[in-house]
Amino acid sequence: MKYIRGFLMAWGMFCWIPCPYRQWRMEDRRAQIGMLPLVGLLMGVILCVLWKLMLMFVSVGPVLAGVLLTGAYFLMTGFIHLDGFMDCSDAIMPRHPSLEERRRILKDSHSGAFALICAVILFMVFAASLGEVYESAGLPLFAAVVCVLTCSRTVSAVSVLVCRPMETSQYVQTQGRGRETAAPVITAALAVALSLCAVRGTAGDMLLVILPAAVTVAAALVAGFYDRKKLEGMNGDISGHMITLSEMAGILTAALMI
């Protein structure tokens, strides 16, 4: 029951789609973080269904399709990860501020120039990548998208659970090793394994699933390491930055492979 409640808590917090049953228990916060990749898998499936429906019933060009799919995806997230991405961009992009100044910028609710510039680039890459592959949609590409959205949250969830948090982070009480740490890894491994079984195609089709997922994991690890080094700790904004940046890298990789 703990992991079911954790999944519903994660759904309610990290997904804009209304959760059918909402119950908050502080003692299940670690399970909530552990179930974050399952929420990503769910949103990946929904995005691919929407993608398929657009191909079947809506006559739009690749540019507009890329914009619509990008907007639909970020709307599903409730923009919560995008908020962390923009906060971290403002805090870590400038070279000279001290640690105290970086953390002050991170907590500032106003968006600076770095946040806006990075957000524009993010949307451009996302929309262009999805538009590039819009009409090439098939099971291998859908599986790649699901794996990217799952793997990005896996690295983020494990980082939140095991890395030293900032003193001001809401995740101070979730840090530590335990069975919840294995849940994200198991979810990602199952997502990739099931995707490969479903594809059952050529080596190229299999690579289209594996390589974007691998690039996503690598990008999330690099972003997380750099962010934690700059800010000396882990928090929710860094988690959002890791997810958003790594997904951009994974989707771009899939587009370049088509």
Side-chain angles (χ1 to χ4, degrees):
M1 285 299 295
K2 177 177 73 171
Y3 289 101
I4 295 176
R5 286 194 300 267
F7 170 68
L8 294 173
M9 288 168 60
W11 182 350
M13 183 171 182
F14 299 112
C15 183
W16 182 77
I17 300 171
C19 181
Y21 177 75
R22 298 190 67 173
Q23 182 181 16
W24 183 268
R25 292 181 57 172
M26 192 63 188
E27 58 268 31
D28 292 331
R29 284 296 301 279
R30 284 180 58 82
Q32 176 198 23
I33 301 303
M35 290 293 101
L36 177 59
L38 195 56
V39 175
L41 189 153
L42 173 67
M43 288 193 290
V45 171
I46 294 172
L47 182 66
C48 291
V49 170
L50 176 62
W51 190 338
K52 185 65 175 179
L53 291 174
M54 286 176 60
L55 283 168
M56 293 172 62
F57 301 111
V58 182
S59 178
V60 296
V63 175
L64 182 56
V67 172
L68 291 175
L69 289 172
T70 299
Y73 170 62
F74 282 107
L75 183 62
M76 271 196 292
T77 67
F79 304 102
I80 187 169
H81 304 309
L82 180 63
D83 177 68
F85 172 83
M86 294 179 71
D87 286 343
C88 279
S89 296
D90 266 340
I92 69 174
M93 291 292 286
R95 294 186 177 183
H96 303 298
S98 62
L99 174 61
E100 292 74 19
E101 181 65 9
R102 290 194 193 100
R103 289 187 172 183
R104 185 197 67 77
I105 295 172
L106 189 69
K107 294 171 63 177
D108 193 338
S109 60
H110 298 88
S111 296
F114 286 101
L116 295 175
I117 292 169
C118 290
V120 169
I121 294 173
L122 173 77
F123 278 112
M124 288 172 60
V125 174
F126 249 99
S129 298
L130 290 174
E132 184 72 20
V133 300
Y134 173 64
E135 295 178 348
S136 303
L139 186 56
L141 186 58
F142 289 155
V145 170
V146 171
C147 289
V148 165
L149 269 57
T150 305
C151 290
S152 65
R153 286 163 177 77
T154 296
V155 179
S156 172
V158 173
S159 299
V160 168
L161 290 171
V162 305
C163 294
R164 180 177 62 85
M166 295 182 198
E167 299 79 5
T168 57
S169 172
Q170 60 176 315
Y171 297 124
V172 169
Q173 296 179 342
T174 66
Q175 196 267 341
R177 298 183 182 275
R179 286 181 296 178
E180 296 87 354
T181 309
V185 179
I186 293 172
T187 302
L190 285 175
V192 174
L194 291 174
S195 295
L196 292 175
C197 290
V199 170
R200 292 182 180 178
T202 64
D205 290 339
M206 306 284 252
L207 191 62
L208 183 57
V209 175
I210 295 172
L211 189 57
V215 169
T216 300
V217 170
L221 289 171
V222 171
F225 176 80
Y226 185 77
D227 291 352
R228 291 192 302 272
K229 182 179 179 180
K230 284 285 188 178
L231 296 165
E232 295 190 7
M234 183 71 191
N235 75 346
D237 287 327
I238 294 176
S239 172
H241 190 239
M242 294 169 63
I243 289 172
T244 308
L245 190 63
S246 64
E247 287 176 353
M248 180 185 72
I251 297 295
L252 177 61
T253 300
L256 292 173
M257 293 179 66
I258 297 297

